[in-house]
């Protein structure tokens, strides 16, 4: 869990397998009334023989109590498989909200009920301004596939774009758009969501073996190089747009975080140049993040660079090619093209057969 009213928490590099159906609204990864936390590079998988409880949530963003909120949390690089709901945004009471959360570069596969579900109080938008992009949603199930249920009210302004959504089963997939209308074809859903989903695609992502937990993209995957950098550089005095500088002003710094934690001696557990924290700015990559000012949207790097207005900014691990890939696993041509080993021919043994 990301904590009950917890702030600046990180859940990193875990494998989570409950092994059975869980009860009402239990979740493997859960932000509840939390802020500035991160779920990163976790693998959530329910190995139960039968998953029939749609209330088990793989990844949850929740504000349960009245006047409480869940905001500015990040989910990146996670894989979620065989939950009842792979992702849920939920606001249970009036006032407060679930907003400004970032669900980016994740892979969601084979939920029992729905891949992504947003629930709002009908009286006002309470799940709003969340950003969902560069993800893969791959449905493969016995029941009809709900890829996205987004029955939000006017003004919710959740952003869905640059995602790959596909159903590889034999059942009719369906979506619920922001007007609460069920759409049973990709074309109808995409048209109804415009301008959202304009850059999303409906194709088989060609992962190696998602059913066995291998979400790596094949070389021919349509998810390669069709994502988008998370944010862009904004020209500003005193930053890298006017000369070599460690300061980078961006359109939205909420995706990023500076050094994290304390090992007891004052040393951060996650340093500025930790691979989970490094970023790419334009062509400059593997840049450590020394600090983030969420008010001014200025990122301070550990290395001075020169940059230009409009250049893309993303995590370095999720932008290896021309553009970022969709999904949790960035295609790596060096790792994906390993040659098969060469085996020596089998020969008959020689020696003294009398021994």
């Amino acid at each position: 869990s990301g904590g009950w009213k917890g702030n600046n928490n990180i859940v990193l590099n875990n494998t989570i397998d409950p092994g059975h159906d869980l009860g009402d609204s239990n979740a493997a990864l859960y932000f509840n009334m939390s802020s500035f936390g991160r779920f990163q590079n976790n693998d959530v998988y329910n190995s139960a023989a039968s998953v029939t409880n749609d209330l088990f949530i793989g990844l949850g963003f929740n504000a349960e109590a009245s006047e409480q909120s869940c905001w500015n949390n990040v989910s990146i690089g996670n894989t979620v498989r065989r939950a009842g709901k792979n992702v849920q945004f939920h606001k249970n009471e009036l006032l407060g909200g679930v907003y400004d959360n970032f669900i980016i570069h994740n892979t969601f596969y084979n939920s029992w009920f729905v891949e992504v579900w947003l629930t709002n109080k009908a009286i006002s938008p309470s799940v709003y301004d969340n950003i969902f992009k560069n993800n893969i949603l791959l449905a493969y199930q016995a029941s009809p596939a709900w890829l996205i249920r987004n029955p939000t009210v006017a003004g919710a302004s959740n952003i869905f774009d640059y995602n790959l959504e596909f159903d590889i089963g034999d059942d009719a997939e369906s979506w619920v758009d922001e007007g609460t209308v069920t759409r049973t074809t990709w074309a109808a859903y995409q048209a109804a969501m415009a301008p959202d989903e304009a850059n999303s695609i409906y194709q088989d992502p060609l992962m190696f073996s998602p059913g066995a937990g291998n979400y790596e993209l094949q070389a021919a995957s349509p998810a390669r190089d069709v994502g988008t950098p998370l944010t862009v550089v904004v020209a500003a005095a005193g930053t890298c747009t006017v000369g070599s500088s460690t300061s980078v002003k961006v359109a939205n710094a909420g995706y990023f975080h500076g050094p994290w934690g304390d090992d007891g001696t004052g040393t951060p557990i996650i340093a500025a140049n930790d691979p989970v924290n490094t970023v790419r700015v334009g062509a400059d990559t593997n840049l450590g993040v020394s600090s983030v000012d969420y008010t001014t949207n200025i990122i301070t790097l550990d290395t001075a660079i020169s940059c230009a207005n409009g250049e893309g900014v993303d995590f370095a691990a999720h932008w290896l090619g021309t553009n970022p890939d969709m999904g949790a696993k960035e295609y790596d041509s060096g790792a994906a093209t390993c040659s098969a080993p060469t085996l020596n021919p089998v020969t008959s043994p020689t020696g003294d057969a009398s021994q």
Side-chain angles (χ1 to χ4, degrees), residues 19 33 43 49 99 126 143 167 177 198 212 231 271 276 279 306-307 336 340 344 346:
M33 297 179 286
D43 180 28
Y99 58 91
S126 54
S143 56
D167 178 12
D177 64 31
T231 189
V276 304
V279 300
S306 295
C307 63
N344 293 322
V346 177

Side-chain angles (χ1 to χ4, degrees), residues 4 36 47 59 127 137 145-146 155 167 174 178 208 215 242 271 275 285 297 306 310 315 330 336 340 349 351:
W4 183 272
F36 296 100
S47 64
L59 172 63
V127 177
L137 286 72
W146 289 96
D167 178 12
S174 55
E178 288 184 328
F208 273 100
Y215 308 99
V242 294
T285 192
N297 284 315
S306 295
F315 287 88
E330 181 80 1

Side-chain angles (χ1 to χ4, degrees), residues 29-338:
L29 295 171
Y30 208 31
F31 284 124
N32 193 3
M33 297 179 286
S34 304
S35 62
F36 296 100
R38 187 185 295 177
F39 293 143
Q40 186 167 4
N41 300 346
N42 299 287
D43 180 28
V44 177
Y45 166 55
N46 193 346
S47 64
S50 176
V51 181
T52 59
N53 187 348
D54 67 322
L55 296 174
F56 166 45
I57 302 161
L59 172 63
F61 294 81
N62 187 57
E64 191 69 25
S66 181
E67 301 186 42
Q68 297 292 336
S69 295
C70 177
W71 79 99
N72 222 116
N73 299 291
V74 177
S75 168
I76 179 171
N78 300 292
T79 57
V80 182
R81 178 165 50 123
R82 297 189 77 235
K85 304 183 186 84
N86 275 346
V87 186
Q88 176 171 290
F89 297 83
H90 179 65
K91 173 60 180 162
N92 195 47
E93 303 291 341
L94 301 179
L95 304 179
V98 178
Y99 58 91
D100 290 342
N101 296 292
F102 306 95
I103 300 81
I104 50 176
H105 294 299
N106 302 280
T107 295
F108 304 107
Y109 173 68
N110 193 20
S111 70
W112 182 80
F113 181 65
V114 63
E115 298 300 317
V116 180
W117 197 4
L118 292 82
T119 58
N120 257 305
K121 283 290 182 183
I123 191 171
S124 65
S126 54
V127 177
Y128 58 93
D129 292 345
N130 299 288
I131 296 177
F132 193 92
K133 65 183 178 182
N134 291 344
N135 302 286
I136 290 176
L137 286 72
L138 184 60
Y140 183 55
Q141 53 196 21
S143 56
W146 289 96
L147 284 162
I148 294 178
R149 295 195 69 180
N150 187 21
T152 58
V153 296
S157 302
N158 295 296
I159 297 174
F160 287 79
D161 207 0
Y162 291 94
N163 302 298
L164 183 150
E165 304 167 30
F166 191 68
D167 178 12
I168 59 177
D170 296 326
D171 304 293
E173 62 278 354
S174 55
W175 299 259
V176 176
D177 64 31
E178 288 184 328
T180 71
V181 177
T182 298
R183 310 290 179 175
T184 57
T185 68
W186 172 251
Y189 169 73
Q190 193 176 38
M193 287 289 289
D196 280 354
E197 302 283 36
N199 299 288
S200 295
I201 58 176
Y202 185 80
Q203 295 183 59
D204 188 331
L206 298 179
M207 293 184 284
F208 273 100
S209 183
N214 185 345
Y215 308 99
E216 299 288 345
L217 301 176
Q218 300 179 39
S221 171
R224 289 185 55 200
D225 290 334
V226 294
T228 184
L230 300 178
T231 189
V232 296
V233 172
V234 176
T239 70
C240 59
T241 56
V242 294
S244 181
S245 174
T246 58
S247 296
V248 184
K249 185 175 178 63
V250 296
N252 190 338
Y255 299 97
F256 309 106
H257 205 292
W260 224 316
D262 187 334
D263 67 356
T265 67
T267 302
I269 296 171
I270 298 178
N273 60 354
D274 190 293
V276 304
N277 226 28
T278 58
V279 300
R280 174 173 168 175
V281 180
D284 294 298
T285 192
N286 296 323
L287 304 167
V289 177
S290 298
S291 64
V292 179
D293 188 321
Y294 299 107
T295 302
T296 62
N297 284 315
I298 289 181
I299 300 171
T300 302
L301 306 175
D302 64 354
T303 302
I305 63 170
S306 295
C307 63
N309 183 59
E311 283 190 314
V313 184
D314 204 329
F315 287 88
H318 291 279
W319 188 4
L320 301 180
T322 306
N323 292 302
D325 296 345
M326 296 171 176
K329 305 296 183 180
E330 181 80 1
Y331 178 78
D332 185 341
S333 59
T337 58
C338 295

